[in-house]
Amino acid sequence: MIPMWGISEMCMAYFKSGVVDCAVLAIGIMVMAGLYVNDPVEFTIQVFIIDLICHIALSTLKIPMNRMAVTELVAAYISGYTVCIGRFNSDFKFREKNEELNINIKQREEMLERLDLVAAKAKENAEMAESANREKTAFLTNISHEIRTPVNAIIGMNELILHNTDQEDVKERARDVDSSAHMLLALVNNLLDISKMQSGNMELIPVPYYLHYLFTDVENVIQIPIRNKGLEFRSDIDPELPSKLVGDIVRIRQILTNIANNAVKYTKEGFVEIIATFEKRDEPDMIDLILKVKDSGVGISRENLARIFEAFRQVDEESNRGIEGTGLGLAITKGIVDKMGGTIDVNTAPGNGTEFVIRLRLELSEASQLPEETAAPSSPTEGTREDFTGKRLLLVEDNQINREIATMILREAGFALETAENGRIAVDKVAASEPGYYDAVLMDIQMPEMDGYTATREIRALADARLSAIPII
């Protein structure tokens, strides 16, 4: 309620001095009431109080209220009431809009809070998924190392049997063991590779390499199954193909080996052919290497063609139930090709064989052609061995069985051999040796106390340049 007593006193002072008459006094008070009050009910109460005060004042002063004053009083009341109603309606709308705005603001704040919660949850889920991927990769890496160790022991012992027996039945069984062990090793490697791809942890290691070694290596891998199936092997290597390139030769070999092995598996009769050519690019130090693998096998139907690069899937599983495989080879191959920024295409039809075409963009090495004395070696002849008599190696391996197997194989090849159980012992032995005492170091990677990477770095940091430059394999 507005301070009406103060206003009345002020106006009564004017009245006593003869400045204003009663009507003007009433009008001024009521207009002022209308300007200060927004609620019509309160305005009416205020007017009644003011009117009462005015009547008391006039009665006390014995001044009669004339008709004109009454008319002005009523007009002032109506005018003030109208102003008050207008202001009340305006204020009501303002409050209504303000409440609506407050509701909208509150809803938006609640929405933002929910979005913040969703974003925080998504971030938490992403971090958990990333952590799970890291743990899975670490687990698979560790478990693959643990599986490889006994499998390598089996392969090594089996190789000693093959080289040291003349009994054909023993050799035949040993070959079966060797085939099964290599299949198990390939399965472990494939599982590790597919895990790395799914978690985005597969890395490429580009190095200079001699391209023609690639074809010799792949031929050596597939020549036994080709011979066992009575297939014809063909190769067509462009003689103008640059001999020395820069790239991840291990992964390129894996691409070509996977495709070639697949061709052999799905070809019952006929041939398997490897074709290699290239195309020059505008950049003088770049080429497109084009690798093709053709076969005269069963071919692939159109519906199966769309799924051949999916993991854990084999082509036409019903028809090819007798063909061994995990369905990972082509998925891994596609992943590696994509990682290299290349392409892989398939030309095929049921009953008409299959042709895989791989295109990789690679960098030329500074020396684009191999020197004559380092030309690619021919395929090794069964039963022939190099003589390494007089060469001394330091074998660094923490697994006792692997050390024993490697020792037997290397000594049989003519090497003089010393061993170390971990990287720390290896570093100490190299540091304490005379330059040239060891011709090379065979270094394991995962070992207790000091791993192979750390040991290699410490050897490379030795003060004697002749010791720090020792070949480490």
Side-chain angles (χ1 to χ4, degrees):
M1 184 176 290
I2 61 175
M4 289 299 173
W5 291 104
I7 296 173
S8 299
E9 291 176 358
M10 177 187 69
C11 292
M12 284 300 296
Y14 283 121
F15 177 80
K16 288 179 180 181
S17 63
V19 176
V20 291
D21 61 8
C22 177
V24 174
L25 172 65
I27 293 171
I29 292 174
M30 283 183 287
V31 169
M32 291 180 71
L35 293 175
Y36 279 92
V37 181
N38 292 333
D39 189 339
V41 176
E42 185 178 354
F43 174 77
T44 303
I45 295 171
Q46 297 283 7
V47 168
F48 175 77
I49 294 173
I50 293 171
D51 185 57
L52 181 62
I53 293 170
C54 289
H55 276 81
I56 293 172
L58 292 174
S59 298
T60 303
L61 297 174
K62 297 180 180 181
I63 300 174
M65 183 176 289
N66 57 39
R67 184 176 296 177
M68 184 64 182
V70 173
T71 303
E72 293 293 339
L73 187 65
V74 172
Y77 172 78
I78 294 172
S79 176
Y81 190 82
T82 303
V83 171
C84 183
I85 287 292
R87 291 177 58 191
F88 175 79
N89 289 336
S90 176
D91 187 60
F92 178 79
K93 291 179 180 178
F94 174 79
R95 286 198 302 268
E96 190 178 54
K97 290 292 183 181
N98 191 49
E99 288 175 2
E100 183 180 344
L101 181 61
N102 288 336
I103 291 172
N104 290 337
I105 292 173
K106 187 176 180 180
Q107 289 176 343
R108 290 186 181 183
E109 288 175 348
E110 291 175 351
M111 184 180 295
L112 288 174
E113 288 178 1
R114 288 196 296 269
L115 288 175
D116 288 341
L117 290 174
V118 171
K121 189 65 176 177
K123 183 179 179 181
E124 181 183 351
N125 291 339
E127 290 174 351
M128 291 175 60
E130 186 178 351
S131 176
N133 274 332
R134 285 196 301 267
E135 291 175 2
K136 182 180 72 173
T137 301
F139 170 77
L140 287 174
T141 300
N142 291 332
I143 199 67
S144 66
H145 178 264
E146 296 302 319
I147 294 174
R148 282 191 185 101
T149 298
V151 171
N152 285 332
I154 293 170
I155 292 172
M157 286 292 187
N158 196 66
E159 187 175 342
L160 289 175
I161 293 172
L162 283 169
H163 286 299
N164 292 288
T165 183
D166 295 327
Q167 300 180 39
E168 194 57 40
D169 59 335
V170 174
K171 283 189 174 183
E172 184 175 350
R173 293 187 181 95
R175 291 190 188 99
D176 291 339
V177 171
D178 184 71
S179 175
S180 298
H182 277 95
M183 284 177 59
L184 179 57
L185 196 59
L187 174 59
V188 173
N189 291 335
N190 283 344
L191 288 173
L192 185 59
D193 281 342
I194 203 70
S195 173
K196 286 180 178 179
M197 286 181 181
Q198 291 175 344
S199 61
N201 291 325
M202 174 170 280
E203 296 181 356
L204 300 177
I205 306 175
V207 294
Y209 62 91
Y210 294 104
L211 183 61
H212 290 82
Y213 289 164
L214 169 68
F215 308 115
T216 303
D217 292 344
V218 175
E219 182 180 350
N220 290 338
V221 170
I222 66 174
Q223 64 180 349
I224 293 177
I226 280 183
R227 187 165 54 243
N228 291 341
K229 296 185 73 171
L231 303 176
E232 177 189 358
F233 175 72
R234 305 174 183 172
S235 64
D236 182 8
I237 311 302
D238 188 340
E240 299 298 322
L241 187 65
S243 298
K244 193 172 184 183
L245 300 172
V246 177
D248 191 330
I249 184 59
V250 174
R251 294 302 183 183
I252 296 174
R253 185 187 297 113
Q254 186 177 2
I255 291 170
L256 192 56
T257 301
N258 283 350
I259 299 295
N261 272 329
N262 242 43
V264 175
K265 279 198 302 185
Y266 289 95
T267 302
K268 296 180 180 179
E269 58 182 18
F271 69 91
V272 172
E273 182 178 14
I274 294 178
I275 302 170
T277 184
F278 73 104
E279 291 180 1
K280 294 181 179 179
R281 301 198 58 79
D282 295 336
E283 305 94 322
D285 58 342
M286 302 291 292
I287 66 164
D288 280 351
L289 175 64
I290 303 171
L291 303 173
K292 299 180 181 180
V293 178
K294 298 176 66 174
D295 65 62
S296 57
V298 295
I300 306 170
S301 64
R302 179 173 296 180
E303 54 269 23
N304 284 321
L305 189 60
R307 303 194 302 268
I308 62 171
F309 294 117
E310 295 178 9
F312 304 103
R313 182 183 292 276
Q314 286 185 297
V315 176
D316 197 358
E317 294 177 355
E318 290 297 324
S319 302
N320 301 306
R321 190 173 294 277
I323 297 177
E324 297 174 337
T326 59
L328 292 175
L330 288 179
I332 292 170
T333 298
K334 181 69 163 59
I336 297 172
V337 171
D338 290 344
K339 183 77 173 178
M340 291 183 169
T343 61
I344 179 168
D345 298 303
V346 186
N347 303 314
T348 185
N352 291 326
T354 304
E355 178 187 50
F356 283 85
V357 182
I358 302 103
R359 183 183 289 264
L360 302 172
R361 184 167 302 178
L362 299 172
E363 180 184 353
L364 292 170
S365 180
E366 292 182 3
S368 61
Q369 297 294 327
L370 278 170
E372 188 68 27
E373 62 270 19
T374 59
S378 58
S379 302
T381 305
E382 189 174 352
T384 64
R385 288 194 172 192
E386 295 285 345
D387 184 10
F388 296 100
T389 303
K391 301 293 183 181
R392 184 181 299 275
L393 299 177
L394 175 60
L395 172 65
V396 190
E397 169 62 62
D398 63 307
N399 184 272
Q400 181 181 352
I401 296 177
N402 283 351
R403 282 202 310 273
E404 292 176 0
I405 295 171
T407 297
M408 287 186 285
I409 293 174
L410 293 169
R411 283 179 177 166
E412 188 175 330
F415 286 104
L417 199 68
E418 294 185 16
T419 62
E421 296 177 9
N422 57 60
R424 170 52 59 198
I425 297 174
V427 173
D428 293 341
K429 284 195 170 189
V430 172
S433 68
E434 292 293 326
Y437 179 75
Y438 295 115
D439 292 287
V441 177
L442 300 181
M443 184 77 73
D444 189 19
I445 294 177
Q446 290 181 278
M447 296 180 290
E449 291 194 40
M450 182 181 288
D451 60 45
Y453 293 122
T454 305
T456 299
R457 285 193 293 269
E458 292 205 7
I459 291 174
R460 293 288 182 247
L462 292 174
D464 192 326
R466 294 170 297 175
L467 292 177
S468 64
I470 186 173
I472 301 176
I473 303 169

